[in-house]
Every structure is written in structure tokens, then in C-alpha cells.
Amino acid sequence: AQKITQTQPGMFVQEKEAVTLDCTYDTSDQSYGLFWYKQPSSGEMIFLIYQGSYDEQNATEGRYSLNFQKARKSANLVISASQLGDSAMYFCAMREVITGNQFYFGTGTSLTVIP
Amino acid sequence: GAVVSQHPSWVICKSGTSVKIECRSLDFQATTMFWYRQFPKQSLMLMATSNEGSKATYEQGVEKDKFLINHASLTLSTLTVTSAHPEDSSFYICSARDESGSVGKNIQYFGAGTRLSVL
């Protein structure tokens, strides 16, 4: 089974609107971390936000927030007030604490912000 | 956030030559670094895990003799593509793990990647 599933290959959003990028994960471990990265066309993977499995509050970093629903095993990224510079690929990732090194990536969502 | 520097960002080489790619963590020490390969419009594929002072751990299907990894210090890992061939053309991206936080929150920071074209 896929560890990380991103079901939206491509998304469009109007500038200044909010957008939600979906991510579901699969793990039997109790302790894990969830991450979102942004990859613009230049190729660099930019760390956006982290959510720990034991964190009770949803993580927020500026315009980014993570809608963490543990029972549903989902970790959706919400980008508020979209900007043209937000157009990029977005990857959801997970690390299980027990396995340590392995970072499981989703297949990514391509976000296009429309002026 | 932490910075990982990767050089070169772009390289073209002739078939049969070797290419070395450097990955440096600039403001934190990284016991563990990772090398990924990414094909167009696909996710990252882990090639190997680089451990400072010991041998790298390669993923299944990755040729150890072709992709040589050296992690000689806590801030530098290198990937050498030996006897490169056109099928090795790809985007290679390194990552360093910042272990200063709690175990689960060890954030992996990525370099800007290296586009390798083998003629």
C-alpha cells in the first residue's frame, strides 16, 4: 500500500484565494512526522511545514497551515491568500520514527495560481 | 530555515566520464544525508543514505559502483557518477537531516539539485 497518497495531480486557484492540497498517509506506527515541501520549476525542494503525530494543534507557518485529522490519517496543506509565486509542485512526506531514515513522498500536486 | 548547498547545479558531460556532485549543510551538522533521483514530473526516488564516517546504504536496484558516495565530514557528502552514460541523465538532489530537534521532527533540508546531461 502507498504510504503517502496525493490524489490531486493538478490544481488551479485564483490569486488571493485559499486552496487545500490533499494528503493521506498509511502507517501503523504511533510516532511519525508529516511534512510538506514545495518544489518550484527551479527544482529546489523547499520545506514548508511539519506536523508531529502527537501534536494536538494544527501546525501553521505564515500562510501555510496543516489540517491534521489523525483518525482519518489525513494531513492536508492549506495555503491562504494564494500568490503567483505559489505556483509549484507540492509534495507531502512522512517519516515513521521507528524506521528512522526512510522519508516517504507522495506523487505530488502541481498547483497553478491564476492571476 | 537551514540551508543545504549543492554543486554544480547543472552539468553536461561526455559518455564515459565521471561527475562529482557536492552537498554541504551550511549551518548545521548532518550525520545523515540522502541522495535522490527525480525523473520529470515524478516524485523523488531515494538512491542512498549517506552516513558520516561509514559506508552508504544503497536502495535496491542502485549500483554501488556506479554511484559512489562519500560522507567524509559532518557537513559534506559527495555523489560521484562513474562512467556516466546517457541513461544516467537526470535530476539529482541531495538532502541533509537536521538532527537538532526531537527525533520525529528531524527536518530534511534539500539542496537545489543538479541537472546532469550525459551526451
Side-chain angles (χ1 to χ4, degrees):
Chain A
Q2 291 283 348
K3 284 284 188 180
I4 295 286
T5 302
Q6 293 180 255
T7 58
Q8 307 154 315
M11 290 280 286
F12 292 86
V13 65
Q14 203 76 39
E15 193 178 5
K16 301 180 185 177
E17 297 291 312
V19 63
T20 298
L21 306 184
D22 294 341
C23 173
T24 57
Y25 59 93
D26 180 31
T27 181
S28 56
D29 289 347
Q30 297 302 308
S31 184
Y32 50 90
L34 297 158
F35 306 78
W36 276 92
Y37 289 85
K38 171 185 178 181
Q39 188 178 39
S41 57
S42 60
E44 182 180 6
M45 292 282 283
I46 302 167
F47 166 71
L48 295 178
I49 197 167
Y50 161 84
Q51 179 86 41
S53 58
Y54 293 116
D55 294 341
E56 295 185 351
Q57 290 193 331
N58 287 342
T60 60
E61 290 286 349
R63 294 186 298 110
Y64 305 108
S65 60
L66 201 152
N67 184 359
F68 181 45
Q69 298 186 44
K70 194 169 182 177
R72 297 180 59 187
K73 293 188 176 178
S74 74
N76 298 340
L77 176 70
V78 180
I79 305 174
S80 62
S82 297
Q83 302 172 357
L84 295 178
D86 294 334
S87 295
M89 281 291 289
Y90 288 81
F91 290 95
C92 179
M94 175 180 69
R95 179 191 300 116
E96 297 162 323
V97 174
I98 289 179
T99 57
N101 283 341
Q102 183 71 295
F103 227 50
Y104 300 99
F105 281 97
T107 51
T109 295
S110 176
L111 177 67
T112 302
V113 180
I114 303 168
Chain B
V3 178
V4 173
S5 174
Q6 184 174 342
H7 292 282
S9 57
W10 174 70
V11 59
I12 299 175
C13 68
K14 291 183 178 180
S15 186
T17 60
S18 294
V19 174
K20 180 186 279 189
I21 303 170
E22 290 190 351
C23 181
R24 294 179 185 273
S25 57
L26 296 184
D27 52 2
F28 65 98
Q29 293 185 328
T31 304
T32 309
M33 291 187 176
F34 305 87
W35 288 95
Y36 293 85
R37 183 172 180 174
Q38 188 179 28
F39 293 100
K41 299 190 185 301
Q42 293 190 23
S43 188
L44 280 70
M45 181 186 75
L46 180 65
M47 297 174 65
T49 301
S50 170
N51 301 295
E52 188 268 336
S54 64
K55 290 183 178 181
T57 303
Y58 290 82
E59 295 300 302
Q60 193 172 8
V62 177
E63 297 177 57
K64 300 178 184 182
D65 295 332
K66 181 160 198 60
F67 299 100
L68 299 179
I69 291 173
N70 184 280
H71 193 157
S73 77
L74 288 172
T75 59
L76 174 64
S77 176
T78 61
L79 168 68
T80 301
V81 183
T82 62
S83 186
H85 288 94
E87 58 266 28
D88 299 323
S89 298
S90 191
F91 185 66
Y92 295 88
I93 188 165
C94 74
S95 174
R97 188 165 68 186
D98 183 353
E99 299 172 338
S100 60
S102 59
V103 174
K105 196 183 175 180
N106 291 341
I107 303 224
Q108 278 186 221
Y109 295 98
F110 287 81
T114 298
R115 295 191 186 279
L116 172 63
S117 294
V118 184
L119 304 178

